[in-house]
Amino acid sequence: SQKIEQNSEALNIQEGKTATLTCNYTNYSPAYLQWYRQDPGRGPVFLLLIRENEKEKRKERLKVTFDTTLKQSLFHITASQPADSATYLCALDSFLGGSYIPTFGRGTSLIVHP
Amino acid sequence: SAVISQKPSRDICQRGTSLTIQCQVDSQVTMMFWYRQQPGQSLTLIATANQGSEATYESGFVIDKFPISRPNLTFSTLTVSNMSPEDSSIYLCSVLDRVGVTDTQYFGPGTRLTVL
């Protein structure tokens, strides 16, 4: 069966360091992969999308890599800040009803300490 | 990007009752989705709601328990019927918005439901 794995343990880092979150998947051949941020009691917010033919995508302090051979995506936040503390969700597309609908991992909690 | 609002933001309900959650989008969208997110779990798709057709339910979810309306391209409702404590969860409305050639999904703020 299809499976998306994100580290269930919270990642604790010091302010200013680079946070790296991992998303592994099995039995998928995704056309693209998305990363979302979710704050407590709020809906997920879209951050970045990377396509299967892209190795890396950047947006300000965010960087995503996508290795279809390893079936893995890495999500990096450079110069992390306490405001970056949140849960980060990885999502892979599933084709449904004519569009690609993301299927979500459980997310990894990031805590940035001042 | 689409802006989505949900009502109510939270509610506490008694077992056996029903709650209807409303989702309003600031633009016309074809596909709307309803998700459930239980504590510590990933988002689980309940159903896809397209205007003018019956909602399509995912495995484990049925229309009698989660009836959905989609009267127009900016609005949808999800009803959680005959509630039990196991229905306690966050319910999220979501839409697909096409950015260039890619569909990006946007979420509402969620409705936190507690069933006693």
Side-chain angles (χ1 to χ4, degrees), chain B residues 10-88:
Chain B
R10 58 177 62 219
D11 207 342
I12 300 173
C13 301
Q14 295 297 321
R15 180 195 297 262
T17 62
S18 298
L19 175 72
T20 295
I21 302 168
Q22 298 179 8
C23 176
Q24 181 75 52
V25 190
D26 69 342
S27 58
Q28 293 185 338
V29 293
T30 302
M31 298 184 79
M32 293 179 77
F33 309 92
W34 287 97
Y35 283 82
R36 181 171 74 182
Q37 187 176 30
Q38 293 176 313
Q41 302 297 313
S42 64
L43 296 155
T44 301
L45 182 63
I46 297 172
T48 303
N50 293 337
Q51 193 265 338
S53 63
E54 292 277 337
T56 303
Y57 288 82
E58 297 300 303
S59 176
F61 299 97
V62 295
I63 187 171
D64 290 344
K65 175 69 175 176
F66 297 101
I68 287 171
S69 78
R70 182 79 201 275
N72 57 52
L73 291 174
T74 63
F75 187 78
S76 178
T77 67
L78 169 77
T79 299
V80 186
S81 304
N82 189 24
M83 289 184 283
S84 67
E86 291 70 37
D87 295 320
S88 297

Side-chain angles (χ1 to χ4, degrees), chain A residues 32 34 36 38 40-46 49 51 89 96-107, chain B residues 31 33 35 37 40-43 45 48 58 90 92 96 98 101-110 112:
Chain A
Y32 52 84
Q34 303 187 53
Y36 289 75
Q38 188 173 24
R42 308 293 294 273
V45 174
F46 170 77
L49 177 150
R51 294 181 175 81
L89 306 172
L96 176 68
S99 294
Y100 285 95
I101 309 303
T103 300
F104 289 83
R106 290 188 178 187
Chain B
M31 298 184 79
F33 309 92
Y35 283 82
Q37 187 176 30
Q41 302 297 313
S42 64
L43 296 155
L45 182 63
T48 303
E58 297 300 303
I90 297 174
L92 294 148
L96 273 182
R98 180 142 288 193
V101 297
T102 304
D103 292 324
T104 298
Q105 197 159 4
Y106 296 94
F107 287 85
R112 182 179 293 272

Side-chain angles (χ1 to χ4, degrees), chain A residues 1-113:
Chain A
S1 62
Q2 297 173 325
K3 197 173 178 182
I4 303 171
E5 292 181 349
Q6 293 187 257
N7 196 338
S8 58
E9 290 184 15
L11 176 64
N12 286 271
I13 64 168
Q14 286 300 123
E15 183 176 8
K17 301 292 187 184
T18 296
T20 298
L21 306 174
T22 305
C23 175
N24 295 299
Y25 60 92
T26 56
N27 297 326
Y28 268 100
S29 295
Y32 52 84
L33 183 151
Q34 303 187 53
W35 283 89
Y36 289 75
R37 169 183 172 142
Q38 188 173 24
D39 292 284
R42 308 293 294 273
V45 174
F46 170 77
L47 295 175
L48 276 172
L49 177 150
I50 185 165
R51 294 181 175 81
E52 61 177 338
N53 61 348
E54 297 175 318
K55 297 290 186 190
E56 182 179 297
K57 181 74 72 75
R58 291 176 185 259
K59 179 182 176 183
E60 297 173 353
R61 294 185 296 112
L62 309 180
K63 184 177 85 171
V64 171
T65 62
F66 193 8
D67 189 326
T68 55
T69 301
L70 291 178
K71 295 186 182 297
Q72 181 182 78
S73 175
L74 299 178
F75 177 79
H76 306 273
I77 305 176
T78 58
S80 60
Q81 305 165 1
D84 294 325
S85 299
T87 296
Y88 291 86
L89 306 172
C90 158
L92 302 177
D93 66 288
S94 298
F95 196 72
L96 176 68
S99 294
Y100 285 95
I101 309 303
T103 300
F104 289 83
R106 290 188 178 187
T108 298
S109 176
L110 171 67
I111 302 169
V112 181
H113 299 276

